[in-house]
Amino acid sequence: MSRFPDNFLWGGASADFQYEGGFGEGNRGLITADFVTDGNVDTLRQVTYKCKDGTLGSSPLKAEIPEGATGYIDPERYYPSHDGVDFYHRYKEDIALMAEMGFNVYRFSICWTRIFPTGEEAEGNELGLKFYENVIDELLKYHIEPLITICHDEIPAYLADHYDGWSSRHTINCYLKLCKTLFERFKGKVKYWLTFNELNVVKGYAQMGTHKIDSQTHYQAMHHVFVASSLATKMAHEMMPGCMVGTMYAMSGLYPLTCKPEDMMAHMNTRRLSYFYADTMVTGGYPYYAQALFEKEGVVLVKEPGDDDLLKEYPLDFITFSYYRTTTVNANTKLNIIGLAMDLNPYLEATPWGWPIDPVGLRYVMNELYDRYKKPIMIVENGMGEIDHFENDTVIDDYRIRYLKDHFKNMKDAINIDHVDCIGYTMWGAIDLVSLSTGEMKKRYGFVYVDKNDDGSGTYNRYKKKSFDWMKEVIATNGEKI
């Protein structure tokens, strides 16, 4: 077949704190991502904080901060997420551009504190609920399915500062209150829900609300996340029959550097660090190798009666994942702070940010996931961060077209030749947004250029890139013309 399935979902994806803006508007409370500064290819983004004694400090994005420290916004630093690219005020314009391209799905995330400013309130904030309702209604006007990520790498700062975030079971109840409020308000309008984002790479204060990143804290917090996701899945099925609930994982590919047995074992053990999360949430409980992992890390999980039954009875309906690159691992590889191998592949070209470009790897990962779980999958993040040159009100981004063309061909082969049940694709940052890894605007992904610079200056006006019309034709022909 030269086309994608007739019901295939084509669209784009974004995260609230990289895209939305509207900081401090509509009774929005502080999230932990609000304390993350800008950075660049040479400098890690920093979480700024205040210690109990009043001293100020900063720590890398996915690292721990001192016990009892609270997030702090330093007036001398720049926080690009506060403005994003102003979707909060421009959502109608952006959704119209998505519709013009032919999107039939758009993945976006809820800012938790737009609904519950501290996480502790008894009732949801009507201004926040109305904003998202307006976004959803605008999408539906153009026949675009909303795909909502309930929690995307953030947590209310109040819950982080008073309960140490997800390390406390109290956060489960706060999260379920958010879910119930969203389900009640948007049932009948939203079919696809993701409980969390990239669980296999999130860590620390900015993303989990925990001050420590030691294995005991991390895996205990993750146990609470697993329980919360199962309870949210149960609630969603009861309140919205026919809905589909998934979670998103970072599943960029991993290869052993050589066929040496030691490298193969390193590959297996490293890949399990990524698969552990999906294995637990999709197959109905902790995998057998979790025992060895916990023994090695000295982890003793504290569970409540019934936790394991919840994981078993309410697994995910489908699996979504991000795919940007592949890396290699060998017996001597040192994993980074989030347990990922980042060694390069000598056979692949790379982006300016050093991310290897591997279209075949996408087909490999799609088969890897579907073979493992035999549930529908969806690619909800993919794309190429590049330095775009804006001239004559456009960008000639042939490099992005080439990247996507090669990935789409392999995606099509995985579906039509390998018979992988893939239901859709949402490119990351269909409209330019702030890069998570570096906080930059110059690392651009979108089909639409946003006039914003790394220092926050610019008109924020939108301009179509060359890839805009190319993608429009891809969707119009359902992938026949790539």
Side-chain angles (χ1 to χ4, degrees):
M1 292 177 62
S2 61
R3 296 165 58 90
F4 284 83
D6 290 340
N7 58 350
F8 195 76
L9 296 170
W10 289 102
S14 65
D16 58 284
F17 57 88
Q18 294 171 258
Y19 187 55
E20 196 172 277
F23 176 79
E25 297 187 53
N27 296 332
R28 176 192 184 279
L30 289 172
I31 57 172
T32 47
D34 289 336
F35 309 118
V36 181
T37 64
D38 61 331
N40 56 54
V41 71
D42 300 314
T43 307
L44 290 172
R45 301 189 71 188
Q46 302 287 307
V47 178
T48 51
Y49 59 83
K50 180 181 287 188
C51 297
K52 288 182 176 180
D53 62 5
T55 58
L56 305 180
S58 60
S59 184
L61 173 60
K62 294 178 180 176
E64 63 186 51
I65 68 172
E67 191 70 34
T70 58
Y72 174 74
I73 296 175
D74 184 345
E76 302 298 319
R77 305 288 292 273
Y78 175 52
Y79 300 84
S81 65
H82 293 188
D83 297 316
V85 293
D86 200 28
F87 178 74
Y88 188 73
H89 298 106
R90 297 172 180 254
Y91 69 90
K92 289 187 177 181
E93 177 185 0
D94 286 359
I95 291 171
L97 286 165
M98 297 175 196
E100 185 180 344
M101 265 190 289
F103 284 11
N104 56 10
V105 66
Y106 168 50
R107 177 193 173 215
F108 65 97
S109 65
I110 300 294
C111 177
W112 192 332
T113 58
R114 281 206 189 280
I115 314 302
F116 293 97
T118 68
E120 295 276 63
E121 293 80 7
E123 301 293 333
N125 170 37
E126 177 59 27
L127 291 177
L129 287 166
K130 186 60 179 174
F131 167 68
Y132 289 116
E133 186 169 49
N134 289 341
V135 169
I136 291 168
D137 288 345
E138 193 72 12
L139 291 168
L140 295 176
K141 183 176 81 173
Y142 291 104
H143 307 289
I144 299 173
E145 290 270 9
L147 168 59
I148 292 182
T149 309
I150 298 170
C151 183
H152 192 126
D153 301 1
E154 64 179 50
I155 189 172
Y158 185 92
L159 297 182
D161 296 340
H162 290 79
Y163 297 97
D164 201 40
W166 281 103
S167 70
S168 168
R169 285 193 78 103
H170 178 75
T171 301
I172 297 176
N173 295 327
C174 295
Y175 174 80
L176 292 175
K177 179 173 55 178
L178 171 66
C179 292
K180 183 179 180 181
T181 301
L182 296 176
F183 297 163
E184 286 178 339
R185 186 67 167 247
F186 304 134
K187 61 185 176 183
K189 294 184 176 182
V190 180
K191 176 181 178 181
Y192 301 101
W193 298 85
L194 305 180
T195 53
F196 294 95
N197 179 74
E198 289 194 335
L199 282 182
N200 52 327
V201 296
V202 296
K203 208 158 195 170
Y205 180 86
Q207 298 171 322
M208 296 289 289
T210 62
H211 291 70
K212 295 182 178 180
I213 59 168
D214 64 284
S215 294
Q216 177 64 40
T217 301
H218 176 70
Y219 285 109
Q220 185 64 57
M222 277 300 166
H223 176 72
H224 297 154
V225 168
F226 296 156
V227 171
S229 182
S230 288
L231 287 169
T233 302
K234 176 179 184 291
M235 183 190 300
H237 288 163
E238 291 172 351
M239 295 179 65
M240 302 178 294
C243 73
M244 292 185 67
V245 182
T247 286
M248 198 277 246
Y249 305 97
M251 293 308 299
S252 290
L254 181 70
Y255 304 135
L257 183 61
T258 74
C259 55
K260 291 170 57 178
E262 293 83 2
D263 287 356
M264 293 300 296
M265 286 298 296
H267 170 266
M268 181 185 73
N269 290 328
T270 303
R271 197 57 167 162
R272 279 177 172 173
L273 292 177
S274 290
Y275 269 119
F276 164 80
Y277 304 84
D279 281 351
T280 302
M281 300 172 76
V282 179
T283 64
Y286 287 98
Y288 78 92
Y289 60 83
Q291 182 177 352
L293 172 63
F294 291 159
E295 288 173 353
K296 178 183 177 182
E297 298 294 329
V299 172
V300 179
L301 291 184
V302 178
K303 300 180 183 179
E304 288 193 358
D307 282 1
D308 288 327
D309 291 335
L310 283 170
L311 300 183
K312 181 179 180 180
E313 293 173 17
Y314 303 104
L316 301 174
D317 302 319
F318 70 123
I319 301 99
T320 71
F321 67 102
S322 61
Y323 177 91
Y324 292 102
R325 61 192 184 274
T326 55
T327 55
T328 65
V329 64
N330 64 74
N332 298 315
T333 295
K334 295 186 182 300
L335 303 184
N336 67 13
I337 197 170
I338 52 174
L340 291 180
M342 298 300 291
D343 294 348
L344 298 182
N345 188 326
Y347 299 101
L348 299 175
E349 297 180 7
T351 72
W353 278 266
W355 290 22
I357 301 171
D358 185 2
V360 176
L362 176 57
R363 181 179 180 180
Y364 178 88
V365 170
M366 291 172 70
N367 276 275
E368 187 182 33
L369 280 164
Y370 190 59
D371 180 62
R372 195 177 188 104
Y373 301 122
K374 297 177 178 60
K375 288 190 176 186
I377 67 170
M378 185 175 182
I379 303 154
V380 294
E381 285 190 29
N382 170 247
M384 183 186 196
E386 258 286 4
I387 300 173
D388 289 341
H389 298 285
F390 182 66
E391 296 179 353
N392 300 318
D393 289 346
T394 191
V395 173
I396 307 302
D397 54 345
D398 292 323
Y399 42 85
R400 182 167 292 111
I401 293 172
R402 183 169 57 252
Y403 174 97
L404 292 173
K405 181 183 296 187
D406 292 341
H407 281 74
F408 289 173
K409 287 179 178 177
N410 279 277
M411 187 165 67
K412 188 191 297 185
D413 286 346
I415 295 170
N416 293 333
I417 297 175
D418 306 334
H419 302 290
V420 171
D421 184 8
C422 178
I423 63 175
Y425 172 93
T426 58
M427 193 191 86
W428 179 246
I431 294 171
D432 284 346
L433 41 60
V434 176
S435 167
L436 173 65
S437 57
T438 64
E440 297 170 300
M441 279 302 303
K442 71 179 180 182
K443 186 181 182 184
R444 297 177 181 270
Y445 286 87
F447 300 115
V448 176
Y449 183 91
V450 177
D451 179 26
K452 178 187 177 180
N453 302 311
D454 284 338
D455 62 1
S457 63
T459 65
Y460 289 70
N461 289 340
R462 274 68 165 148
Y463 301 89
K464 302 172 190 175
K465 303 178 188 178
K466 182 179 179 180
S467 58
F468 182 99
D469 289 326
W470 176 83
M471 188 63 182
K472 182 177 180 179
E473 185 174 32
V474 169
I475 297 174
T477 64
N478 203 18
E480 187 172 353
K481 291 186 178 180
I482 292 179

